Amino acid sequence: MGSIGEDLLARYREIDGLMSGSHRVAEVRRWQAATGELLRRGLGFHVVVVQFQGLRFFDGSVDGGTASSEDPRLQANLGEAKGLVRQALEHLHVDVAAVVATADPLIAAVQGATWGDAAGRARALEAAVRLNGHLAEPMPNWESLVSDLQVLLAGGLVVARVALKAVARRLVDIR
C-alpha cells in the first residue's frame, strides 16, 4: 500500500469519529479538504473524486460553530463520503475490510462472535464503530456510549472483554 493509500485509509477511519460526536465546522471542513486532495492525488480525474467534490457538508461560512452529529445532512454526506472513500481505496487496491478488521480488535471480536442473526451482527458492528468514535473523543460523553456497550456485552465473553478493555484503556488515558 502506497503513501496515498495509507493516508486515505487514515482519513477513512476518521469518518466514524466525525459521525459519532459534535465537531467544529472548521474541523469537518479541514477533513473534507484534506481527503479531497488525497483523492485527487491518488485517482486524478475519476468519478469518485468528482462525486466527493460535489458533497456539501455545510451551508454558509466557517464561523467555528459546532456541527451536531444529529444533523441529517451532515450524517448523509459523511455516510456518502465514507462510501466514496471506500471505493477509492478499493480502486487503489486496498482491502478496507481486512485492514480495518485487523487494525481494530473490537471490530475483529464482533466479526468473530456468534450472533443470532445478520441484523444482530450489523447492530453490533455499528455499536463497535460508535463506541470507538466515542472513545476517540478528547473528552468522551460516557452516557452516550452506554447503549453501544450494552449491545456489545450481549456478544459473549470475548466481545465483552475487548469492549471493556477499550473503555478501561480510555479511562486510564484520562486520569
Side-chain angles (χ1 to χ4, degrees):
M1 178 175 11
S3 177
I4 290 178
E6 290 170 4
D7 292 343
L8 197 54
L9 186 59
R11 294 293 177 191
Y12 178 81
R13 288 181 175 136
E14 292 172 359
I15 296 171
D16 293 323
L18 293 172
M19 292 176 85
S20 69
S22 293
H23 297 278
R24 308 298 291 174
V25 171
E27 180 182 347
V28 177
R29 285 196 171 159
R30 276 191 296 276
W31 174 87
Q32 181 185 14
T35 303
E37 177 60 28
L38 284 170
L39 289 170
R40 281 188 294 279
R41 285 186 12 225
L43 299 177
F45 188 71
H46 189 277
V47 68
V48 170
V49 178
V50 174
Q51 289 173 332
F52 186 85
Q53 289 173 333
L55 294 176
R56 298 291 177 242
F57 291 87
F58 305 102
D59 289 326
S61 64
V62 178
D63 61 358
T66 301
S68 171
S69 64
E70 296 171 4
D71 177 359
R73 182 175 182 176
L74 175 65
Q75 289 297 309
N77 284 334
L78 283 171
E80 190 172 341
K82 185 174 185 175
L84 292 170
V85 173
R86 184 181 197 96
Q87 285 177 32
L89 286 165
E90 290 168 357
H91 187 75
L92 294 170
H93 307 291
V94 176
D95 185 358
V96 178
V99 172
V100 171
T102 58
D104 188 328
L106 182 55
I107 300 292
V110 168
Q111 289 176 333
T114 303
W115 298 91
D117 58 4
R121 179 183 304 277
R123 276 190 307 276
L125 283 170
E126 290 171 8
V129 167
R130 281 191 308 269
L131 181 72
N132 283 337
H134 291 302
L135 295 175
E137 291 288 323
M139 185 48 108
N141 179 343
W142 299 106
E143 292 175 13
S144 60
L145 67 81
V146 169
S147 61
D148 295 326
L149 196 53
Q150 287 173 333
V151 170
L152 295 168
L153 293 177
L157 185 60
V158 172
V159 174
R161 191 176 287 154
V162 173
L164 291 172
K165 192 176 199 177
V167 172
R169 228 182 356 260
R170 185 64 178 108
L171 285 169
V172 169
D173 290 344
I174 291 176
R175 273 195 290 160

